[in-house]
Amino acid sequence: MYKVHCLNNISPVGLALLSDNYELTDNIEEADAILVRSADMHEMDIPANLKAVARAGAGVNNIPLEKMAEAGIPVFNTPGANANAVKELTIAGMLLASRDIIGGAQWCKENAQDENIGKSAEKAKKQFAGTEITDKTLGIIGLGAIGKLMVPAVEALGMKVVGYDPFVTPEQAAAISESMTYVTDLNDLYGDSDFVTLHVPATPETTGMINDEAIAAMKEGAVVLNFARGTLVDDEAMARGLAEGKLRAYVTDFANPAVMAMEGAIVLPHLGASTEEAEDNCAKMAVEEIMDYLETGTKTHCVNMK
């Protein structure tokens, strides 16, 4: 009998896949496997009985990968399981930045007691007017599970796409979309894009990649969308870009005090993968990975061992 401990709430749709050879345990010390979402495992002692860890999501920066590898414990993630949810929220982010939907909704709330609100709204609405995304250009940095879903979705909305990914060949890019412009220099993407969206992992190489130099290369009035990782953006550089009017808006899923102080930032509470469907998909994939490994030794989407 294998015992599984959940560090976070894991979708019951995924847990239902556990066979009769498994049982959930509240005692982490006796766990053969751990299922985790956002809980920070870096300061945890590794349970003596632990054999595997599965993250119900793509990012694994909350898990000490090397420490687990040294202990012979594979760590699995679930790439692509929440990709559609992040894609949809990124598109919503573009619309929120293009038209002052949030400001308009707030105005209606603040004027709820006005008996003539309909007439008042006709006068007030000019301050919330915006622009359309059709015929605009979206620069996609990272053409993995999420980025490649973005391409046909926004092309269907009438947008042009510039794509960049150092791990994708021109042939692979063309297979995603023949109409997408594929570039190998980020400055080419920055200079052509009305919107720039990030879909890359948090690594030493990507930390702070949106800095003063990157912002200087962007179009006047560009919008930056970050539904990947907060560390990809240099907050001080972003604050300068917004304050100086170089950037129109910064839409991010990662709240922190610096971001909350930025004029022109639209901040969401890490909603990217927070849909019922995404949580179910991630949980199902994580459970299947754990079972495959414990029963057959198969490593699917293992991020710290061969």
Side-chain angles (χ1 to χ4, degrees), residues 87 91 94 133-138 140 143 147-163 173-182:
K87 175 205 78 177
I91 293 171
M94 283 196 293
I133 62 174
T134 298
D135 292 328
K136 302 300 190 301
T137 298
L138 173 65
I140 302 176
L143 296 169
K148 67 184 180 183
L149 286 182
M150 287 292 300
V151 179
V154 301
E155 286 182 339
L157 294 171
M159 299 187 76
K160 304 179 185 70
V161 178
V162 179
I176 296 171
S177 170
E178 292 185 356
S179 58
M180 175 177 66
T181 301
Y182 176 72

Side-chain angles (χ1 to χ4, degrees), residues 89-106:
L89 194 61
T90 304
I91 293 171
M94 283 196 293
L95 294 169
L96 290 175
S98 297
R99 307 179 70 172
D100 191 4
I101 298 168
I102 295 174
Q106 186 61 34

Side-chain angles (χ1 to χ4, degrees), residues 283-304:
K284 288 190 288 187
M285 187 181 293
V287 166
E288 289 170 347
E289 290 166 349
I290 287 290
M291 293 172 65
D292 283 347
Y293 177 71
L294 292 178
E295 295 172 21
T296 69
T298 302
K299 295 190 184 82
T300 305
H301 302 134
C302 182
V303 296
N304 69 331

Side-chain angles (χ1 to χ4, degrees), residues 23-84:
E23 67 177 16
L24 298 176
T25 178
D26 291 329
N27 182 3
I28 193 172
E29 295 303 324
E30 66 180 14
D32 295 288
I34 288 175
L35 291 170
V36 60
R37 290 177 63 201
S38 59
D40 190 344
M41 298 181 65
H42 285 279
E43 302 304 319
M44 281 179 47
D45 293 327
I46 298 177
N49 202 46
L50 188 64
K51 301 175 181 63
V53 174
R55 156 86 160 101
V60 289
N61 53 319
N62 59 319
I63 304 171
L65 301 182
E66 291 186 13
K67 182 179 176 181
M68 291 293 177
E70 289 170 0
I73 299 169
V75 175
F76 306 101
N77 71 342
T78 59
N82 57 18
N84 188 69

Side-chain angles (χ1 to χ4, degrees), residues 6-15 35-37 54 56 279 283 287:
C6 299
L7 280 177
N8 299 103
N9 290 327
I10 302 296
S11 165
V13 174
L15 296 178
L35 291 170
V36 60
R37 290 177 63 201
E279 291 183 7
V287 166

